[in-house]
Amino acid sequence: MRIDIHSHFFPALSRDVAHAIDPERAAWLQIESSGNAGQIMVGDQPFRPVYRALWDPDFRVQELDAQNIDIQVVCSTPVLFGYCWDVGKANDWAQRLNDEAVQFCSAHPTRLKALSQVPLQNLKLACAEASRAQKMGCVGVQIGNHVADKDLDHPDMVDFLIHCADEHIPVFIHPWDMMGGSDRMQQWMLPWLVAMPAETQLGMLSLILSGALERIPEHAKICFAHGGGSFAYLLGRVDNAWKHRDIVRQNCPRLPSEYAHRLYTDGAVFNEEALRMLVGVMGEERVMLGSDYPFPLGEQQIGQLIDGAAFNAEQKAKLLYQNAQQFFAL
């Protein structure tokens, strides 16, 4: 069995629907007449070329069949978050996207499972929408790693994670709105190759070094995308800083690496040595198959890295599906 916990979808939102929300920043889907390819648009500017699997659940399941994937967890593409809007618009938008996600998965309910999104800029509405979506059939919620200047250690973000823990809602955290500004890292996909892993590490360390994980219940299920970014590789640097600088440990009562067992990641690292290090740092019960399908930076043959890695059969079973079954209660 194989469960892919990190994939994206994008409903066939029209230009009119998006422009009614925000004519400059709302994303929509421009589908070619063939129906096989398209373009994500932001306002009236092309954002990313895409293909049919992103919006067609029947076509997607055909591809999953070809790749021997039994279940895939889908979440909206982060460009759809809507965190920059006023809370009323953002809440309406999140509700629409969650209804679309449930509808998308309803075509193949045993194969596709949805994560919700929330208006994370407002704690009360975010909590309410996460709970509503869970009751509709979502298996968890996807959030970005920050909202404007509020990182995951902000009291509102921590309270949202506590709400999800109390409601037994798994949380999948995806980097977005990457650091670097308008004049840096604009070529060669560097925002995705450099800033995105850094954003993920920033989110994980924000929870650890702030002491937030001392407040969030132990049973909380919190997973970070893209193998935790640069977290595993640089955790030794963080431990060393904690040992020798009091400003690093002032809010963090334990060695940072001791908190790794509180968090999960997907295994989308594309290199066996990196995967083995990730499993060694996080624990073999805390890493799950994740592809980032159906985008070019995702794993093109889903599960190939785990299949070919030097793990025993029991470990591979955990990485390929057992950990995901436990995390999402599938």
Side-chain angles (χ1 to χ4, degrees), residues 231-241 257:
F231 176 79
Y233 184 76
L234 294 176
L235 188 55
R237 178 180 178 87
V238 181
D239 277 356
N240 184 64
S257 57

Side-chain angles (χ1 to χ4, degrees), residues 79-203:
V79 73
L80 292 167
F81 281 155
Y83 294 161
C84 60
W85 302 329
D86 70 71
V87 295
K89 280 186 177 181
N91 192 52
D92 291 345
W93 184 254
Q95 289 182 348
R96 181 185 189 116
L97 265 293
N98 293 338
D99 292 345
E100 293 275 7
V102 171
Q103 180 63 31
F104 181 88
C105 293
S106 70
H108 300 275
T110 64
R111 306 293 301 282
L112 302 175
K113 306 293 182 180
L115 298 182
S116 64
Q117 71 174 59
V118 296
L120 198 57
Q121 60 268 61
N122 182 279
L123 173 62
K124 181 178 179 180
L125 292 177
C127 292
E129 181 55 21
S131 296
R132 183 191 80 94
Q134 203 74 5
K135 291 175 182 175
M136 282 200 314
C138 290
V139 298
V141 58
Q142 176 191 219
I143 63 170
N145 67 302
H146 68 104
V147 175
D149 294 331
K150 292 163 49 173
D151 287 310
L152 292 176
D153 60 300
H154 188 280
D156 286 351
M157 305 284 263
V158 174
D159 284 346
F160 177 76
L161 294 174
I162 292 172
H163 169 81
C164 290
D166 290 343
E167 296 280 321
H168 301 285
I169 300 172
V171 181
F172 182 69
I173 300 177
H174 198 290
W176 82 294
D177 190 29
M178 283 82 78
M179 60 183 75
S182 59
D183 297 323
R184 301 189 67 211
M185 297 192 291
Q186 294 309 304
Q187 299 188 69
W188 316 299
M189 292 198 76
L190 286 178
W192 280 263
L193 302 179
V194 175
M196 186 170 275
E199 289 284 359
T200 306
Q201 183 196 21
L202 173 60

